[in-house]
Amino acid sequence: MCTYGDSDHIIQVLPNTELWEWPYLKGILASVPDSLKARYRFVITDHRTAVPDPDLQTVVFYLSNEDGRLPGYVKQVAALFTPYPPKVSYPHVYPIPLGPGVWPVSKNPMPIEQRPVDVFFSGRKLHRRKAALDAMDRLERDPEVQTKVHRTQGFGQGLSQSEYSTALSQAKVAIAPEGNFSNVTFRHFEALQHGCVVISAPLPDAWCYRDFPGYQLTNWQHLPALVKGLLKRPAKLRSLRESAYTYHKRAWAPEAVAGYIAQALSRAPDP
């Protein structure tokens, strides 16, 4: 276990492994009012690590539960925030954005119409991605589309951080197919913050994923036609890119998520 914060406002981080969500969560928690940090015990954990002594003074950030399951102690805590909408709903369980991973972001993103790569994807060959990968195979064979596709063997085992960041910053469109269990992935947010237009599988009906500024396909067979149509409409690409700024400010900027957390906790019973 490690802790973050000053002596008055301690935030516990329980897992011993590196959390890809931590840099993003750290930014969110920095914007949570100190009055709430003093009132509650904030704990960050994952689906493998139990929270000791959960009670109505405990606020949990529950991570890595892509299958939507919640811990057995869920009814014992004041509130639980999770990036994967749960299978069973509770009034004190709230979805928050997954956010980007640990990848760096280029400070001066290239205008989208000047980017040399039309379509980029780097990721594993998962069973749930078969239809998406088959559609990307068709794009790779199309001489009119400049693609950059990397198929990797394991999570985070593909391109280096700098290579991945550079590839996103040079791409017009980024593909965000399904994960092992959930359609929510880090790449949605990584692609947005690098200025790409995102094409993905359908996202959950949660406040932080509504109005996502991209395309959500229920049938990946439509991917090649969608991409080729977009590439002929640079104004549409620019419009989608601009709408990403509005979405960021409203739905997943650390300050916006901190405000959502504060509102949720204002409805919690007194500990």
Side-chain angles (χ1 to χ4, degrees), residues 183-197:
N183 290 357
V184 176
T185 68
F186 290 110
R187 72 184 71 246
H188 284 86
F189 302 95
E190 292 161 351
L192 283 186
Q193 69 180 357
H194 282 84
C196 303
V197 169

Side-chain angles (χ1 to χ4, degrees), residues 3-19:
T3 58
Y4 161 75
D6 57 38
S7 58
D8 295 323
H9 308 131
I10 294 296
I11 296 166
Q12 295 177 295
V13 185
L14 297 183
N16 293 322
T17 57
E18 179 184 11
L19 289 174

Side-chain angles (χ1 to χ4, degrees), residues 113-181:
E113 64 272 16
Q114 297 177 17
R115 298 185 175 201
V117 176
D118 293 325
V119 178
F120 169 70
F121 170 75
S122 178
R124 291 179 289 172
K125 296 180 180 179
L126 301 176
H127 175 71
R128 294 185 74 233
R129 290 177 177 168
K130 185 180 186 305
L133 291 172
D134 288 346
M136 281 185 264
D137 285 341
R138 291 165 55 196
L139 279 173
E140 286 185 279
R141 294 193 295 268
D142 193 321
E144 297 180 5
V145 182
Q146 298 298 315
T147 61
K148 187 171 185 178
V149 177
H150 293 264
R151 294 168 178 81
T152 64
Q153 297 302 313
F155 180 76
Q157 296 179 10
L159 301 174
S160 68
Q161 291 189 7
S162 60
E163 290 171 332
Y164 183 74
S165 180
T166 298
L168 281 174
S169 67
Q170 293 179 344
K172 298 181 181 76
V173 175
I175 308 300
E178 300 87 339
N180 260 325
F181 299 99

Side-chain angles (χ1 to χ4, degrees), residues 11 24 27 34-35 53 57 60 75 80 94 114 119 148 168 189 196 213 222 230-231 240-244 247 257:
I11 296 166
Y24 178 58
D34 287 346
S35 59
D53 303 318
Q57 285 186 297
V60 176
K75 295 181 181 180
L80 185 146
Y94 303 93
Q114 297 177 17
V119 178
K148 187 171 185 178
L168 281 174
F189 302 95
C196 303
H222 300 317
L230 278 173
L231 295 177
L240 286 167
R241 175 69 194 110
E242 291 166 3
S243 66
Y247 174 74
V257 181

